């Protein structure tokens, strides 16, 4: 579809002769997904739709306790250190961004008075400046007012390399200027097509300057508020036992009328996904359970109990394997898997190609995940215009054997291939979770038939996804040959999602292993394409650059996508909740209520 045709359709929407729904359908027909179509409407001053939960209670409080299960238990409550989704969910109960993403990819104002647009002066014509206005009258939980100073400080805090924040990538290349007590500007170096990253969603939670001001930079881990949050959210902090339980109480001064409905909140950690599903769907002990990575047949049986229901929403999340091209068994300057080292065998492209052919994705989808995922060879799968049509997957043991034969890897007397005294023996690590252990077993069996020996390692989820810099078993340390997990796409645009394929985001001891590039792999061509995408205003050209980044890593067989994940949660039948595939589960928890 040509630009002139799109402009004509936008004009029809503005005049009321074409509905938003019809516009979205016409865009989808030519490969432009809803999130991007929404951004086109915003840029052309068409007001955003509201796909959020319709809130029915007529007063705040009175709902009793809200009980959530995060079977991967939270371990910290600073949103800018939260590399694990569980910690992001927990932090979002207390802290808020300027805006969040609803289930249809619309921006929904939270601490912002309005979503910036050209019509309200929030978006500059050159695409370099975004002006945000804060809601008036918002207070921190200790009673102090929220001001633009807090937003400017959040930028300084996250952008400081010494802070070693997980969110650094969203802030390091921008400038933030205060305009008045409740207005500030975000200034980009170049025209920026996707401006809704800093201060938005997972990376956007604003923290109080008066509590974190002394702890910016090298002292960032010493702040008492890292474990005792003081935010602006619907619930005030009560108690936290890392790895176990988190509690909060209703914020009587919350800035949204008649919210929240519940008087207290309890977030219980530990256990596993099956027991979490059972506690909602069968026994009704809890109201909500997150991330039910459970075999679909098991969930279907539980649903027949009649107490609860499954919520499944599309997302950009991906279950994948990293093949480590650095050496996880040699320590250099106090860290293993250092970029200064090379893996003794996984640096061979033939070995990586063979392992990719030994993943039976269709069986993993059919017999394990069902509704929970779709087999894929692409790291990016949503929105559709960013998915590569070039990447294909194949399960072929015979072909894998031939590739290894041709590369000179010969089977020894034990059946394991070797060359130059080096064997194809690997530790394959993931978190403890039944579908993941079954996936490991399927891949191990196929690898055995190709002369590759896999030692399976499973780590407790609360440890594996922890941000604890002292723990060797966290996923960002990558102290293993192969690693499998799901990474979440935090917004309906893959730019921030793909910064984990850039050289400047490599996880190292220096950044406390909070760099988003866990694989350690880098390619100058990927860096170049990523930087080009950041300033490309033409949607088709920009998508092509981002697709190229995706393809470089997948074709190198360093990143082995397995399943495009559907987000699965369970709730009691009487709980109304706002489940979005583009933000964390707690993104709009203020609006949850019991009917």
């Amino acid at each position: 579809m040509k630009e002139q045709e799109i402009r004509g359709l936008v004009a029809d929407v503005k005049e009321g002769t074409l509905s938003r729904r019809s516009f979205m359908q016409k865009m989808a027909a030519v490969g432009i997904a809803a999130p991007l179509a929404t951004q086109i409407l915003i840029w052309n001053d068409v007001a955003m739709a509201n796909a959020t939960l319709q809130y029915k209670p007529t007063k705040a409080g009175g709902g009793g306790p809200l009980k959530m299960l995060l079977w991967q238990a939270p371990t910290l409550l600073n949103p800018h250190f939260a590399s694990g989704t569980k910690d992001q969910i927990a932090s979002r109960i207390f802290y808020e961004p300027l805006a969040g993403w609803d289930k249809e990819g619309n921006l929904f104002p939270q601490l912002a008075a309005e979503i910036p647009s050209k019509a309200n002066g929030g978006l500059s014509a050159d695409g370099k400046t975004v002006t945000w206005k804060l809601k008036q009258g918002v207070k921190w939980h200790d009673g102090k007012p929220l001001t633009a100073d807090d937003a400017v400080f959040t930028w300084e805090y996250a952008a400081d390399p010494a802070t070693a924040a997980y969110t650094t990538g969203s802030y390091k290349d921008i400038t933030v200027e205060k305009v008045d007590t409740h207005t500030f500007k975000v200034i980009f170096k170049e025209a920026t097509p996707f401006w809704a990253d800093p201060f938005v969603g997972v990376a956007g939670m604003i923290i109080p300057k008066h509590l974190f001001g002394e702890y910016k930079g090298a002292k960032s881990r010493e702040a008492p508020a890292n474990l005792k949050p003081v935010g602006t959210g619907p619930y005030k902090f009560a108690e936290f036992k890392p790895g176990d339980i988190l509690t909060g109480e209703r914020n009587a001064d919350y800035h949204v009328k008649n919210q929240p409905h519940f008087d207290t909140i309890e977030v219980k950690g530990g256990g596993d996904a099956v027991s979490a599903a059972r506690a909602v769907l069968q026994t009704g002990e809890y109201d909500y359970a997150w991330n039910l990575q459970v075999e679909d047949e098991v969930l279907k049986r539980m649903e027949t109990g009649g107490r609860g229901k499954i919520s499944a929403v599309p997302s950009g999340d991906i279950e994948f394997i990293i093949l480590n091209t650095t050496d996880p068994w040699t320590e250099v300057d106090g860290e293993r898997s250092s970029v200064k080292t090379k893996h003794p065998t996984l640096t061979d492209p033939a070995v990586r190609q063979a392992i990719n052919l030994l993943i039976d994705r269709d069986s993993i989808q059919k017999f394990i995940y069902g509704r929970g995922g779709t087999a894929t060879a692409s790291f990016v799968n949503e929105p559709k215009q960013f998915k590569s049509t070039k990447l294909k997957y194949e399960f072929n043991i015979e072909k894998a054997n031939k590739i290894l034969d041709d590369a000179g890897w010969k089977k020894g007397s034990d059946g394991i291939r070797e060359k130059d005294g080096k064997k194809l023996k690997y530790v394959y690590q993931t978190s403890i979770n039944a579908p993941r252990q079954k996936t490991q077993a399927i891949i191990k069996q196929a690898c055995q038939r190709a002369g590759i020996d896999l030692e399976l390692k499973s780590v407790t989820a609360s440890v594996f996804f922890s941000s604890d810099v002292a723990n060797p078993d966290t996923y960002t340390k990558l102290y293993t040959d192969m690693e499998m997990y799901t990474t979440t796409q935090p917004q309906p645009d893959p730019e921030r999602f793909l910064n984990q394929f850039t050289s400047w985001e490599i996880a190292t001891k220096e950044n406390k292993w909070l760099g988003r590039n866990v694989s350690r792999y880098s390619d100058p061509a990927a860096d170049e394409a990523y930087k080009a995408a950041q300033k490309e205003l033409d949607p088709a050209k920009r998508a092509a650059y981002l697709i190229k980044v995706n393809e470089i890593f997948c074709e190198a067989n360093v990143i082995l996508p397995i399943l495009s994940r559907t987000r699965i949660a369970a709730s009691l039948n009487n709980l109304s909740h706002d489940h979005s595939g583009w933000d964390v589960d707690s993104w709009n928890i203020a609006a949850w209520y019991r009917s």
Side-chain angles (χ1 to χ4, degrees):
M1 183 175 287
K2 296 179 180 178
E3 181 181 355
Q4 189 173 356
E5 294 176 89
I6 295 176
R7 290 186 184 279
L9 292 174
V10 170
D12 290 342
V13 175
K14 295 175 81 169
E15 292 171 5
T17 57
L18 181 70
S19 69
R20 286 182 62 98
R21 182 177 295 275
S22 295
F23 176 83
M24 295 295 184
Q25 290 171 342
K26 288 179 182 292
M27 292 296 100
V30 294
I32 299 176
L36 184 59
T38 297
Q39 295 292 300
I40 291 172
L41 291 177
I42 293 176
W43 183 256
N44 288 279
D45 300 327
V46 179
M48 246 189 198
N50 185 353
T52 55
L53 179 68
Q54 185 179 357
Y55 188 72
K56 295 183 178 180
T58 57
K59 67 170 186 175
L66 172 62
K67 300 177 70 178
M68 295 180 67
L69 276 172
L70 299 185
W71 57 274
Q72 294 174 10
T75 54
L76 57 80
L77 297 173
N78 183 326
H80 296 281
F81 297 158
S83 61
T85 307
K86 62 191 177 56
D87 297 321
Q88 295 165 1
I89 291 173
S91 297
R92 193 70 166 268
I93 293 169
F94 308 106
Y95 295 107
E96 297 174 296
L98 295 177
W101 295 102
D102 73 15
K103 61 186 176 184
E104 292 187 4
N106 296 310
L107 276 176
F108 181 77
Q110 294 186 299
L111 289 179
E114 59 187 359
I115 299 299
S117 67
K118 287 201 294 184
N120 63 26
L123 300 179
S124 65
D126 63 4
K128 294 183 179 181
T129 303
V130 180
T131 301
W132 288 96
K133 295 181 179 179
L134 295 171
K135 288 178 72 171
Q136 298 282 339
V138 179
K139 296 178 182 178
W140 295 103
H141 293 156
D142 60 5
K144 296 187 182 299
L146 168 74
T147 71
D149 291 327
D150 296 303
V152 173
F153 170 75
T154 298
W155 159 63
E156 294 172 343
Y157 178 91
D160 187 340
T163 299
Y166 183 68
T167 55
T168 295
S170 297
Y171 296 92
K172 66 183 181 66
D173 294 325
I174 63 172
T175 302
V176 178
E177 295 181 356
K178 176 181 175 181
V179 177
D180 58 40
T181 58
H182 284 74
T183 309
F184 65 94
K185 291 182 177 181
V186 176
I187 303 168
F188 298 92
K189 294 178 181 178
E190 304 280 353
T192 302
F194 191 73
W195 48 266
D197 179 27
F199 300 106
V200 173
V202 169
M205 286 176 261
I206 296 178
I207 57 175
K209 179 180 180 180
H210 65 280
L211 294 178
F212 284 94
E214 296 180 17
Y215 301 98
K216 185 181 69 172
K219 295 177 64 179
S220 63
R221 265 57 183 181
E222 301 172 18
N226 288 341
L227 296 176
K228 295 181 178 180
V230 176
T232 57
Y235 296 96
K236 290 184 175 183
F237 173 79
E239 183 183 19
F240 181 41
K241 296 179 181 177
D244 182 15
I245 194 168
L246 169 67
T247 59
E249 57 190 29
R250 182 173 69 86
N251 177 8
D253 290 324
Y254 190 55
H255 54 86
V256 179
K257 186 178 180 181
N258 298 330
Q259 292 183 7
H261 169 68
F262 295 99
D263 300 302
T264 60
I265 186 168
E266 174 188 310
V267 179
K268 177 63 177 172
D272 55 47
V274 174
S275 61
R278 186 179 297 116
V280 175
L281 298 172
Q282 289 188 325
T283 68
E285 297 172 72
Y286 285 82
D287 296 295
Y288 187 86
W290 156 81
N291 188 26
L292 296 184
Q293 196 169 357
V294 178
E295 292 134 283
D296 203 30
E297 288 304 313
V298 174
L299 286 179
K300 288 177 179 177
R301 288 198 300 271
M302 289 184 183
E303 282 183 280
T304 61
R307 286 181 177 270
K309 57 186 181 290
I310 289 294
S311 172
V313 295
S315 74
D317 302 354
I318 184 79
E319 180 86 358
F320 71 109
I321 290 172
I322 293 173
L323 297 184
N324 190 355
T325 57
T326 63
D327 189 346
W329 313 115
T330 300
E331 184 172 304
V332 176
D333 298 331
E335 64 178 317
R336 288 149 53 190
S337 291
S338 166
V339 291
K340 298 175 183 177
T341 65
K342 291 185 177 181
H343 196 283
T345 60
L346 286 175
T347 47
D348 185 343
V351 175
R352 302 198 302 267
Q353 184 183 3
I355 292 174
N356 194 29
L357 287 165
L358 297 169
I359 302 173
D360 189 354
R361 293 167 172 85
D362 289 331
S363 293
I364 292 168
Q365 176 190 332
K366 181 178 179 181
F367 298 112
I368 302 177
Y369 282 84
R371 289 174 291 178
T374 303
T376 185
S378 178
F379 192 75
V380 175
N381 295 276
E382 296 287 347
K384 296 298 183 190
Q385 77 269 20
F386 294 104
K387 183 178 180 180
S388 170
T389 56
K390 181 181 176 184
L391 297 170
K392 308 292 182 185
Y393 65 85
E394 179 184 4
F395 176 57
N396 193 324
I397 295 175
E398 182 180 351
K399 188 174 178 179
N401 272 300
K402 186 177 187 311
I403 289 169
L404 292 171
D405 286 338
D406 292 346
W409 293 95
K410 306 300 181 184
K411 289 185 179 179
S413 58
D414 56 2
I416 301 172
R417 291 181 182 270
E418 62 178 291
K419 184 170 70 172
D420 301 329
K422 300 171 184 176
K423 288 181 175 287
L424 299 188
K425 296 183 69 172
Y426 304 116
V427 176
Y428 173 17
Q429 168 177 291
T430 189
S431 63
I432 294 176
N433 173 268
R436 288 196 170 125
Q437 271 67 76
K438 291 190 175 184
T439 300
Q440 281 181 309
I442 288 173
I443 296 172
K444 177 182 174 70
Q445 186 178 42
C447 283
Q448 283 177 330
R449 294 172 64 187
I452 299 173
D453 181 56
L454 299 184
E455 175 188 334
L456 305 184
K457 179 180 178 180
S458 302
V459 181
T460 302
S462 59
V463 173
F464 187 71
F465 293 107
S466 167
S467 302
D468 181 2
V469 296
N471 197 310
D473 287 329
T474 61
Y475 78 100
T476 61
K477 291 281 178 55
L478 194 66
Y479 286 178
T480 187
D481 303 296
M482 299 170 57
E483 181 166 88
M484 179 174 68
Y485 60 96
T486 285
T487 188
T488 56
Q489 185 173 328
Q491 53 205 190
D493 181 279
E495 184 180 303
R496 184 171 189 273
F497 188 56
L498 284 171
N499 75 358
Q500 59 196 293
F501 290 170
T502 62
S503 62
W504 54 87
E505 280 287 342
I506 289 175
T508 64
K509 179 183 178 182
E510 185 180 4
N511 60 31
K512 297 181 173 62
W513 294 278
L514 286 179
R516 300 194 71 238
N517 184 346
V518 176
S519 75
R520 275 64 162 175
Y521 186 78
S522 64
D523 187 314
D527 286 348
E528 183 181 344
Y530 187 86
K531 289 178 178 178
Q534 287 184 300
K535 57 187 179 183
E536 179 56 67
L537 295 176
D538 181 285
K541 291 179 180 177
R542 179 171 177 269
Y545 284 129
L546 293 174
I547 287 170
K548 183 178 180 180
V549 176
N550 178 25
E551 289 175 346
I552 287 170
F553 272 67
C554 292
E555 289 177 338
N557 294 305
V558 171
I559 299 296
L560 310 182
I562 302 174
L563 294 169
S564 173
R565 291 283 306 277
T566 302
R567 291 192 186 176
I568 304 288
S571 69
L572 292 183
N573 288 327
N574 65 358
L575 179 69
S576 293
H577 63 93
D578 208 350
H579 195 192
S580 171
W582 300 114
D583 212 324
V584 293
D585 288 38
S586 55
W587 82 277
N588 193 25
I589 200 166
W592 292 20
Y593 66 93
R594 201 187 309 281
S595 57

